[in-house]
Amino acid sequence: MHSSPSRHRAGSPAALALLLAVAAIPACGDDTDVQCGQSYLRYDNFGSPFIINWCRACHSADLPPDMRQAAPDDINFDTLDEIRAWSLQIKLTAGQGDTMPPSGGPPPPSAPC
């Protein structure tokens, strides 16, 4: 089953949301970066919920191997330190690439009524 290609392209809403989540992780995780005062996006209100909803269904050390959907055992996003350690790879495979998440990522925003 293939998902819509537009859901994976670098300019798609899903890719942009993931890039924002990954960008918020290293820059505003502790809210000490100057850019944090210019954005309401932080790890606690955007990055963490995004990673929990779209990544940890496969990338969590708490999952038994048969529930990880072939995710490598050593790639887990249970802590902010783990996410930061993998942030470049997350950006490349999920934000700019089209391999993660395999289900296609978040749905595009709904059209206004």
Side-chain angles (χ1 to χ4, degrees), residues 16-43:
L16 292 174
L18 186 60
L19 284 172
L20 285 172
V22 171
I25 291 166
C28 296
D30 59 8
D31 290 336
T32 58
D33 189 282
V34 178
Q35 294 177 354
C36 293
Q38 300 171 358
S39 173
Y40 68 92
L41 297 177
R42 295 185 317 270
Y43 177 72

Side-chain angles (χ1 to χ4, degrees), residues 2 16 19 27 46 56 61 63-64 66 84-85 89 107-108 110:
H2 295 299
L16 292 174
L19 284 172
F46 183 77
R56 287 191 44 205
L63 294 172
D66 61 332
R84 283 182 172 152
Q89 194 64 27
S110 299

Side-chain angles (χ1 to χ4, degrees), residues 3 5 7-10 12 14-16 18-19 22 50-51 54-55 59 71-72 75 77 83 85-106:
S3 61
R7 293 175 76 183
H8 294 294
R9 296 185 201 271
S12 74
L16 292 174
L18 186 60
L19 284 172
V22 171
F50 191 95
I51 295 291
W54 296 105
C55 306
H59 292 283
I75 301 179
F77 305 142
I83 296 165
W86 288 100
S87 63
L88 177 60
Q89 194 64 27
I90 292 169
K91 177 183 173 184
L92 295 174
T93 60
Q96 295 174 341
D98 64 355
T99 59
M100 287 288 135
S103 64

